[in-house]
Amino acid sequence: MTETDMPDLAAFLATLLVAYLVALFARRTLGVPVGWPRALVMGLIMVVTISWAATEVGRMTGVFVDGQIKAPTGVVFLVMALVTAWAFVIGLIGLVLLELFLPTGTLPPPSAFLRGWKARRSRARRYTQVVRIATRHGLGGYLGRGRRTDGRPAAIARSLRDALNEGGVTFVKLGQMLSTRRDLLPEVFADQLATLQTRAEPEPWAQIERAIEEELGRPLTEVFQMVDPSPLASASVAQVHSARLLDGTPVVLKVQRPGARKQVTSDVEIILRLAAWLERTTPWGRSLRVSRLAEGFAASLDEELDYTVELDNLRGVAATLHGEIRVPVAHEEHSTGRLLVMDRLDGTPVGEAGALLAALPAAEREAIAGRLLGEILRQLVRTGVFHADLHPGNILLTEDGRLGLLDFGSVGRLDQPTRNALGMLLLAIDNNDAIGATDSLIEMLDRPEDLAERELERDLGQLMVRYRSGFGRSGSAGLFAALFKLIHAYGFAVPPQIAGAFRALAALDGTLTLISPDLDVVGAVRRQGREMMREAVSPEAVRTDLESRLAGFLPILQRMPRRLNKLTEDLEHGRISVNIRPFADERDRRFLTGLVQQVVVAVLAAAATLGAILLIAADSGPMVTPDLRLFALVGFALLLVGFVLALRSLVLVFRRE
């Protein structure tokens, strides 16, 4: 570096320092945490603008003539201060516009562009591939701002199914999840998406063996006598292999495919981004609230990839069973987040047990279906822990007519008030009581603010009358799907666990139909629900519930005599007073303070601006330079104050908490 470069470097560093100070002052003036990068850039622009504007304004006002100062020092100082302040205000206007249209945090920080560029490139490549798949299947017109209206729903549904199937495991599972949301999707779409399967070509045994040993932390021969290299089942995320422990116990191994979590995580991020974009740009995306659906799907898929969650679910369901239905026993000492070791249940999935069921008498098939229905209803209404994925492939039928449950990746849990409300809903349906059903729904769900209760009662009454006859053919899937659509039409916010309960009942109907086509499903639901509610309100159950509640009230009852005595003494001596604090809640005080602040700032801004206009427009007053009046100088200063206050008021209005 030469000596001639030193002044330039010093000037550059001084400019950066001034820009930093200007940016700091701008953040303080606006009163909101504006991002530092944009504040610094705006500070540099302000510094450059000030140096240019000072010369031009000085020449226009007569302060500078031919490069010479032709005004008193005080006037020069005031004019330069005013120019600096106005340049600062122009910079503030730029910051406010950026905050309005591109708020701080909308774009990733500069450091984010330097980190993870490989991941972004891979994500962009995958995103492009997904869009190409959608376009190839004729769905490109539904991804833009203008919604297409041409085309038959059945053809569109088939195209969506094929596109999701080609997209891979994550998109297949997304379609399977959407197929259960018959409250949101048309029936033709739900039917097509329900046919999606996650079967895949088996992973080479060498890779699966290596994955199992990595999870065990030791060779297979130290844990198992044998492991069959040929899988019993092969899906896109996991494979199931039969094995035998060293003590001879037959088991099955559910092992996650190598790289499955990485691929699913990448696809889930794409689905979340795509859902947010569709909700912003398409009418159907906003109506379906696809962002919320995508977030729920991401959470459930993350749990499904963690086999420790499935292990907890298995224990929870096993603890609620009465022995009518079997579940596998897990070997926790050999199970990890990507490996699940369970005892093997011998049996045939209901979806593949047509020949076995055909050999059974109709009465026995109906009894088997009744036991399954009764156990699931008892889980929903009494224990609160239920299997939420009851499709025919997850229910085994043994040769002796017993049932078993598999795949506990999706298990729901209901709290006591929700279980009571669900039981009362079943009882109201049994009694054809529309008022009771309405009260049960309001108790169970999040009530909308503008709920029309009388209209809901009438619609529920019509629904129950429609499904009261012909239950055997229509089934609970028809009833609960129609009930779910009615709930959505009235704007109820359905918590995920309650939605899972409705979906479990709807999925169970198809399984029960395969076991016993002649079973009156909803009639059985009514009978089972009635029996369980009678059990819940039996004298013994009521006495136990009252005893537990009285135990909780016992400390209050012990203090009651002393409090009553003090209350009567205060009443006798006139010491009772009422203290009302309308703004005791901090949120109320904060709201009122912010409202008053906005009003005061807006009024001051308007007053300062009006006064400034009057001063600037005045033709009288002393002249500070040949071309500048004192009133105009004061007016421009007052207008500056008005602009700053107006900007601050605008930021307060549009600020996001």
Side-chain angles (χ1 to χ4, degrees), residues 9-36:
L9 179 59
F12 177 73
L13 294 178
T15 303
L16 287 181
L17 178 60
V18 173
Y20 170 77
L21 294 176
V22 170
L24 179 62
F25 188 61
R27 287 164 55 95
R28 295 283 186 176
T29 303
L30 292 178
V32 294
V34 178
W36 272 111

Side-chain angles (χ1 to χ4, degrees), residues 444-501:
M444 184 167 48
L445 306 175
D446 298 333
R447 176 185 181 136
E449 294 183 0
D450 54 348
L451 177 64
E453 293 188 23
R454 295 297 299 274
E455 295 181 9
L456 178 60
E457 289 177 9
R458 286 192 289 268
D459 289 342
L460 277 174
Q462 295 176 4
L463 186 68
M464 288 187 291
V465 169
R466 176 156 41 108
Y467 283 92
R468 193 166 181 83
S469 59
F471 283 138
R473 293 193 177 276
S474 194
S476 60
L479 174 64
F480 284 103
L483 181 60
F484 218 23
K485 290 181 179 179
L486 185 64
I487 289 171
H488 178 69
Y490 276 88
F492 281 97
V494 184
Q497 294 300 335
I498 298 177

Side-chain angles (χ1 to χ4, degrees), residues 388-404:
D389 191 12
L390 296 169
H391 64 78
N394 284 341
I395 300 177
L396 289 180
L397 179 65
T398 62
E399 294 184 358
D400 58 358
R402 299 184 66 183
L403 293 169

Side-chain angles (χ1 to χ4, degrees), residues 109 367 440:
S440 299

Side-chain angles (χ1 to χ4, degrees), residues 175-189:
Q176 291 174 337
M177 185 274 291
L178 291 175
S179 70
T180 65
R181 296 303 304 266
R182 296 176 182 265
D183 58 313
L184 300 180
L185 293 183
E187 198 75 17
V188 62
F189 281 85

Side-chain angles (χ1 to χ4, degrees), residues 224-425:
F224 305 104
Q225 286 184 4
M226 58 79 62
V227 179
D228 190 352
S230 300
L232 295 174
S234 178
S236 299
V237 173
Q239 289 185 189
V240 179
H241 291 259
S242 63
R244 191 177 297 276
L245 295 176
L246 293 179
D247 60 3
T249 304
V251 295
V252 293
L253 311 181
K254 182 179 180 180
V255 56
Q256 194 172 114
R257 287 174 177 256
R261 173 173 285 276
K262 181 179 179 181
Q263 181 61 51
V264 168
T265 301
S266 175
D267 284 349
V268 164
E269 187 174 357
I270 291 175
I271 288 174
L272 291 174
R273 292 172 180 267
L274 184 61
W277 178 65
L278 289 174
E279 188 162 326
R280 288 195 311 268
T281 58
T282 62
W284 62 268
R286 286 188 294 272
S287 64
L288 293 180
R289 293 179 290 184
V290 293
S291 289
R292 186 174 179 180
L293 288 174
E295 290 170 359
F297 167 72
S300 63
L301 191 57
D302 184 65
E303 289 188 356
E304 187 176 342
L305 289 173
D306 186 358
Y307 292 168
T308 59
V309 175
E310 184 171 347
L311 185 61
D312 292 337
N313 293 338
L314 175 59
R315 287 196 296 259
V317 173
T320 65
L321 297 178
H322 278 175
E324 294 289 337
I325 299 178
R326 300 172 58 194
V327 296
V329 178
H331 295 266
E332 300 182 20
E333 67 276 13
H334 302 314
S335 299
T336 66
R338 296 196 303 166
L339 175 66
L340 197 58
V341 181
M342 302 171 290
D343 285 347
R344 179 168 181 171
L345 291 182
D346 292 324
T348 306
V350 169
E352 303 173 3
L356 181 60
L357 288 169
L360 297 176
E364 185 174 350
R365 295 177 64 174
E366 186 171 348
I368 293 173
R371 289 198 302 270
L372 175 61
L373 176 62
E375 186 60 42
I376 299 304
L377 284 179
R378 196 181 65 81
Q379 290 180 1
L380 287 169
V381 179
R382 299 294 292 159
T383 65
V385 181
F386 62 94
H387 196 302
D389 191 12
L390 296 169
H391 64 78
N394 284 341
I395 300 177
L396 289 180
L397 179 65
T398 62
E399 294 184 358
D400 58 358
R402 299 184 66 183
L403 293 169
L405 295 180
L406 300 176
D407 193 359
F408 295 86
S410 179
V411 169
R413 290 173 174 81
L414 300 177
D415 56 21
Q416 184 65 49
T418 302
R419 298 200 302 271
N420 292 340
L422 181 59
M424 295 303 298
L425 176 63

